[in-house]
Amino acid sequence: MKKFFRILLWILVGVIFVGTFVFLYLNSKPKEVRYELVKPTMGSVEKTAVLTGTVEPRDEIAIKPQISGIISQINVEAGDMVKPGDVIAVIKVIPDAQQLSSAENRLNLAQINLKDVEIRHNRNTKLYERKVIAREEYETTLAELNRAKEEVIAARDAVGIVKQGVSQYNASESNTQVRATTAGLVLDVPVKVGTSVIQANTFNDGTTIATVADMNNLIFKGTVDETEVGSLSVGMPMKITVGALPDFSADATIEYISPKSTSTSGANTFEIKAALNAGPDVHLRAGYSANATVALNQSGNVLRVAESVVEFAGDSTFVYCLTDSVPVQKFKRTRIITGVSDGINVEVKSGINAKSLLRGQEIKDTPEGPQK
C-alpha cells in the first residue's frame, strides 16, 4: 500500500513538472499581432479654421441730447422701429443761473432801449406832421424803433431758450426733443424718466438716450489666431452658424482683417469682420454668439488616407504597407509625401497608390471576439 502511494506521488510530481514546462513554453511563444487593413480613397480634403465671435449690426448709432437737463418723457422702448426725426425722448431744461441772468439783463436793456426809441420816434412823428423836420430824419427813428422791437423779441426768446430750451420760432425742432437720426430698431434705452443727462462736448461724450441699428445690415465680428491669420484674405467666403439657432447657417464674406493684433491671455489674435447675408426671413438679434468656418486650403479628387495611420517623424511622414499576410501580417515602413490635412484625412501626393493596404489599428482578441 505504501508502495502504491509512493508511485502515485511520483506520478503527480511528474504531471506538475510537465504541466509547468508546457505552460511556460506556450507563454514564451510570441503572440501573433493582427492589424486592421486600411485602403486609401479618392476624395477632397479641406483644411478649415473655426472662428468665434458675435453677430452685430454694421452701424450701431448712439442717440445723444443736444442740451443738458432731465428726462421728462420717453416715447420708445427696446424693440421699437423708428424713422429719422421720430421723437425718442423729451428733456426738461435746468437753466444755468449765469446764462439766465445774462439773458434777463439783455431783455431789460432791450426794453429800456425800446421805450427811449418810442419816445424819440413819437416826438419826430409830430414834428414831421408839422413839416418841422425832414422825412429822412423821421424814417431814421422809425427804423430804430423797428430794430428795438426786434431786439426785445429776440431777448425774450433767448430767456425762453435758457429757461425751457424752446424757441418760440421753432418749437417743433427744439433741442429738448431728442430725435432719431437714422432708421432702424431700438436696441437699448439706458435711461429712465427723471435721469439727468448732459450734452456731448469737447470734454464729455454725452449721455446716450438710446441706441438704434439697422438689423438688415449685419456683420460677423470675431477673432482669429496669429497662426491662421496669414491664410486669410479679404473676400474669402465663410459659413456662419449661430448657437441659439441650431438650424441656421448663412454665407458671409470677409471684408476686414485687423492689421494689429490684440493680446488675450498670452495669445495674439486679430479681429475679423465679415458681411453677413442672413436673408429677409431670418430674424437675428444683436450679440448672438456665432462661429465662422472658413476654408484655408482645399484639394479635390486626390488620394487620401486617414491621418491615424500616418506616422510623423520630424519633417517626414510614413505609413506601413502590407507586404505579406501568410502566415502572419508583414508590413514595410514606407515614406510618403503629404499635402492638405483636415485633421481626419490627409492628402497623399506620392509614396503609395490606391491599391496599397496600410496598417491600421491593432485587432485584439476578447471573449466576445476580435476587437479593433
Side-chain angles (χ1 to χ4, degrees), residues 53-276:
T54 56
V55 174
E56 299 181 4
R58 181 180 299 277
D59 297 310
E60 188 172 322
I61 307 301
I63 309 299
K64 299 179 182 293
Q66 298 301 310
I67 59 174
S68 300
I70 296 176
I71 298 291
S72 62
Q73 181 180 335
I74 297 177
N75 299 330
V76 299
E77 60 183 15
D80 290 345
M81 295 296 298
V82 295
K83 303 184 299 296
D86 287 351
V87 178
I88 292 178
V90 178
I91 297 177
K92 178 182 178 182
V93 176
I94 304 300
D96 180 80
Q98 183 176 358
Q99 293 180 353
L100 179 59
S101 177
S102 177
E104 290 177 341
N105 289 338
R106 175 187 171 187
L107 176 59
N108 292 334
L109 292 176
Q111 290 174 336
I112 292 173
N113 182 60
L114 176 61
K115 291 180 180 180
D116 179 62
V117 173
E118 283 180 341
I119 293 173
R120 289 191 290 110
H121 179 66
N122 291 337
R123 183 172 59 248
N124 284 352
T125 299
K126 294 178 180 179
L127 294 176
Y128 175 71
E129 291 174 350
R130 297 176 184 176
K131 308 297 182 181
V132 175
I133 60 175
R135 181 179 180 83
E136 181 180 359
E137 189 174 350
Y138 165 76
E139 291 177 346
T140 299
T141 56
L142 178 61
E144 291 178 354
L145 177 62
N146 292 333
R147 284 195 295 270
K149 290 180 180 180
E150 290 297 326
E151 176 60 22
V152 170
I153 294 173
R156 186 176 290 114
D157 191 48
V159 173
I161 292 175
V162 173
K163 284 184 175 181
Q164 302 176 352
V166 179
S167 172
Q168 62 179 341
Y169 298 108
N170 58 349
S172 61
E173 300 297 328
S174 169
N175 288 342
T176 59
Q177 297 179 338
V178 182
R179 298 177 180 273
T181 57
T182 184
L185 181 73
V186 178
L187 300 180
D188 186 27
V189 182
V191 295
K192 299 180 180 180
V193 172
T195 301
S196 296
V197 297
I198 57 175
Q199 69 183 93
N201 53 47
T202 306
F203 306 101
N204 197 295
D205 292 336
T207 305
T208 298
I209 303 298
T211 53
V212 179
D214 181 4
M215 295 303 292
N216 294 320
N217 189 5
L218 300 174
I219 63 171
F220 168 82
K221 185 177 180 181
T223 57
V224 60
D225 189 80
E226 63 179 343
T227 59
E228 298 176 333
V229 71
S231 302
L232 302 181
S233 61
V234 173
M236 291 181 67
M238 310 174 76
K239 183 68 70 174
I240 307 297
T241 56
V242 176
L245 304 174
D247 299 328
F248 169 81
S249 66
D251 295 325
T253 304
I254 297 177
E255 60 181 20
Y256 171 79
I257 302 175
S258 175
K260 183 179 179 181
S261 68
T262 301
S263 181
T264 305
S265 300
N268 291 334
T269 59
F270 292 80
E271 184 182 58
I272 299 288
K273 294 180 182 179
L276 181 61

